[in-house]
Amino acid sequence: MLRYLRENTGNWIIKIFLGIIVVVFVFLGVGSMNSSRNNSVASVNDEPITVSEFQDAYRNLVERMREQFQDNLTDDLLKALNVKQQALNTLIEQKLMMSQAEKLNVMVSDRELEGSILAIDAFHKNGVFDMDQYKRILGLNSLTPEMFEQLQRNALRQQKLQDMVLGGVFVSDLEAESFYRHHNTKMAVHYVKVDPAEFTDITPTRDQIQTHYRENMAQYISEPKRKAVFLQFSPTDYRSQVAVTQAQVQDYYEQHPDEFTTPEKVEASHILIKVDDTADDQAVEAAQKEALAVYQRAIAGEDFAELAKQTSQGPSSEDGGYLGTFEKRSMVKPFADKAFSMKPGEISEPVRTQFGWHVIKIMDRLDATVTSLEEAADQIKTRLADQEMQNLAYYKAGEAFDAVIDGDTLEQVALLTEKQVVFTDAFDENGNGLDLEQAAQFADAAFSLEKQQISDVKQLGNAYFLIKVEETIEPVQLPLEAVKDRIINTLERQLRMAAAENKARELLAAAHSAENMQTFVKKENLTLASTPLFTRNDSIQGVGRSADFTTAAFALTPENSIYPGVLKTDQGFFIIGYKEKQVPESDEIQENLTDIKQQLLQAKQGQYYQAWIDELKENSSIEIDPQFIN
């Protein structure tokens, strides 16, 4: 199965199929059916999770991410997403859930199983379940109907169990109203800002420089370095091994019709007279009259572009109202419906949308076109060949990694895969010293390894690597003269911050003796600034995103109008005072209540489910071999 998936993951049918059953693969570890190894990466209540299960779960998860992130999927991203731990966690949770399903006698009937399979779109032809299609797709994945149906039955059992666990979770109206009110209340504040950058006359003394160096010597050491060897598996290495057949090209063409169809388009300009979607009838009627007057001038022969520059209230007015060429789906429905019913040269009467009234002029219409199979064949062949080369490189790298797991050295793996072992010069953590396109990512992978340790497969760009660290070069202490400029920059920042904070505290004392912020700034001859209204989750204009600033702002009231402390953010130091507070009206809350309850319910269900899983883990015996995660 693993070998077959490596060889065929580029096939569009399998990608569709993986979209359906990859969760089952990850959760159930199909690779264990064909596993020849007896060793395990973990155990749950003495039930093993085999190396093969773990590898299949990990690689299937990576394949899903390759589909999502394309060329942006790097080793750094895989590490940031902690994919290995994700794969192991799903396997552990699956075994815990199946154990609970057995205890609670959660069963799936044949009728339920049949209904779920009949509903899978990948098994349909012309909207109807097709047995030949079903068997063909299963066969492409080396699955029999019996095997797949067991996997599907287990997945349905898990879903039933999850529904049982979450069935008692609910959200009350009061809870939802409170949540909405809390997160949609808005606040605006006055503030005085003290910016450290304004304190430009500060220079550290020689004694300060020397003291800082002595007290922080550990910060001023050379960069650690590594020397490594690696094997590289690039897609282009396998170009000669890839041959795309005409049947594959036709299959792809037939299953991706949207890629080869150019929809009908129009080229148009418009004049917009704005009116808010919630405006009253009087405002709507006034805007309509204004648009009708513009329409009369347009059909009387005035130049439409000049008329748009004079009267349109939309962003395209400077371009004479020109919107370019567009598909019907790219415009709001009333506008699109009218535009696509018109002929070139025609000007419409005013059309109402959520933005206001539009007068539309059509310059040209472009009919829908379909690229023929013959015209698209070369493009499809290139795409399929690129996919196959990528998959072949992935497969070969995976085969090499399997050999490493079996105990082969990197040199032996090189012979097995007919690859050359490449030696690097010394390089630092940023990749300086490496002659590689993905130097930084390579360095990051290498620095995560112990000396003589061989990595698992690392995807850097569109190539795959196995890396071994040959030598570690430890850091050494740098002399003062070599780091003097760095120290001066550090001390200048620190001294400016200290000076700005001291100044802010002096001003705060003066503010507390004043009646309000306006009186305070007038007396101290300062500039008073104000924020726009913001919620607890907003980034604040002029301030940035600061939890301390936001918390302090929402603590202000008209009676306690000046915050009693100095607030530090990335922008500087702030003294703030009350300006305005807006609490959502009851009508607004009721209008959004259903959506808020649904959002809260999903969040609570997620928390409850995780708590349930955590409790199962706590009451189970789970042992993990860390070498397969690190």
Side-chain angles (χ1 to χ4, degrees), residues 66-106:
R66 282 180 60 198
E67 289 292 313
Q68 181 180 356
F69 295 105
Q70 303 292 327
D71 292 340
N72 296 319
L73 184 64
T74 63
D75 190 55
D76 286 339
L77 183 56
L78 288 173
K79 188 175 294 184
L81 295 172
N82 204 6
V83 177
K84 288 185 177 180
Q85 189 64 59
Q86 283 190 53
L88 184 57
N89 284 346
T90 54
L91 289 169
I92 290 172
E93 290 176 12
Q94 180 273 327
K95 290 189 181 295
L96 290 171
M97 289 186 70
M98 291 303 292
S99 175
Q100 287 298 303
E102 290 292 336
K103 289 180 181 178
L104 297 173
N105 197 30
V106 177

Side-chain angles (χ1 to χ4, degrees), residues 532-545:
L533 287 162
F534 58 90
T535 70
R536 287 176 167 86
N537 297 320
D538 287 340
S539 178
I540 306 168
Q541 182 179 320
V543 177
R545 194 174 292 278

